[in-house]
């Protein structure tokens, strides 16, 4: 039986987002969005990725681990510094927009994670020791990469002078 992320492995916070209505996407987006499936667990690509992860793990420095610890928060507001926004305290509408976009993007990602049910690399190879707590949702597609991309597009549209810093 191929390894697959099971229903019992989901955290309720993430699982509850599947099927929720997005604020900015029209109904039916699930049928229009296309996400390629991940490679199979036993594929040459997956095996090469495991080897690469083991190399990265072996070469990780204490400084890199500190950077990982700082970046592990899943707050969409972190990207704002890159865009030149220091605080949203005086920009409640922008803060609300970022919060709603973050929620929409998370709904999209969790929907596709549920479709593919990709296990995390440490399940495929016990030598992989994650440096952060393993999230309670499937590995693919990447939530962080998706959220960063969405925020980069929106923030660059809001502040075109910072576009080069975001991409």
């Amino acid at each position: 039986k191929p390894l697959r992320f099971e229903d019992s492995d989901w955290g309720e916070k993430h699982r509850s987002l599947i099927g929720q209505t997005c604020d900015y996407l029209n109904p039916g987006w699930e049928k229009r969005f296309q996400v390629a499936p991940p490679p199979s667990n036993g594929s040459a690509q997956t095996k090469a990725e495991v080897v690469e992860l083991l190399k990265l793990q072996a070469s990780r420095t204490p400084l890199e681990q500190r950077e990982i610890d700082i970046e592990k928060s899943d707050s969409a507001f972190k990207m704002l510094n890159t865009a030149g926004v220091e605080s949203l305290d005086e920009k409640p509408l922008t803060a609300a927009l970022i919060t709603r976009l973050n929620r929409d993007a998370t709904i999209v990602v969790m929907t596709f994670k549920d479709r593919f049910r990709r296990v995390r690399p440490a399940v495929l190879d016990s030598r992989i020791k994650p440096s952060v707590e393993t999230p309670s949702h499937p590995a693919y597609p990447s939530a962080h990469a998706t959220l960063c991309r969405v925020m980069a597009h929106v923030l660059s549209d809001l502040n075109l002078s910072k576009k080069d810093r975001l991409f």
Side-chain angles (χ1 to χ4, degrees):
K1 175 184 162 189
L3 291 173
R4 184 173 158 84
F5 200 91
E6 299 296 333
D7 283 338
S8 60
D9 297 328
W10 277 92
E12 185 53 37
K13 171 186 165 189
H14 297 105
R15 184 79 169 143
S16 68
L17 290 168
I18 298 167
Q20 293 286 318
T21 301
C22 291
D23 289 322
Y24 298 113
L25 294 174
N26 292 326
W29 62 263
E30 307 93 325
K31 294 177 181 85
R32 293 188 308 276
F33 285 23
Q34 294 185 10
V35 176
S40 67
N41 291 336
S43 71
Q45 181 178 344
T46 297
K47 289 177 182 176
E49 289 170 353
V50 166
V51 168
E52 180 65 19
L53 286 172
L54 290 168
K55 285 179 187 175
L56 289 169
Q57 178 177 281
S59 66
R60 185 181 309 128
T61 67
L63 176 60
E64 289 169 330
Q65 183 59 52
R66 280 194 298 278
E67 290 171 355
I68 290 168
D69 291 340
I70 291 168
E71 290 298 318
K72 69 183 172 186
S73 167
D74 61 356
S75 170
F77 290 94
K78 282 186 161 194
M79 282 198 68
L80 295 174
N81 276 344
T82 303
V85 177
E86 305 221 356
S87 170
L88 287 178
D89 292 341
E90 296 176 20
K91 299 182 185 327
L93 295 177
T94 303
L97 171 69
I98 298 293
T99 299
R100 291 171 71 188
L101 284 169
N102 186 44
R103 181 180 173 277
D104 277 10
T106 304
I107 289 170
V108 170
V109 169
M110 293 304 148
T111 299
F112 283 103
K113 283 178 179 284
D114 187 49
R115 181 177 298 171
F116 296 121
R117 302 285 183 107
R118 176 92 165 144
V119 295
R120 298 208 167 260
V123 173
L124 298 175
D125 190 314
S126 62
R127 295 175 295 167
I128 297 174
K129 306 295 182 207
S131 62
V132 297
E133 183 179 338
T134 303
S136 58
H137 53 75
Y140 180 85
S142 169
H144 283 95
T146 303
L147 295 173
C148 286
R149 188 71 178 187
V150 167
M151 291 302 139
H153 279 286
V154 171
L155 292 171
S156 69
D157 284 348
L158 292 174
N159 191 348
L160 292 175
S161 68
K162 304 290 184 187
K163 190 169 192 159
D164 290 343
R165 294 176 66 187
L166 293 165
F167 289 99

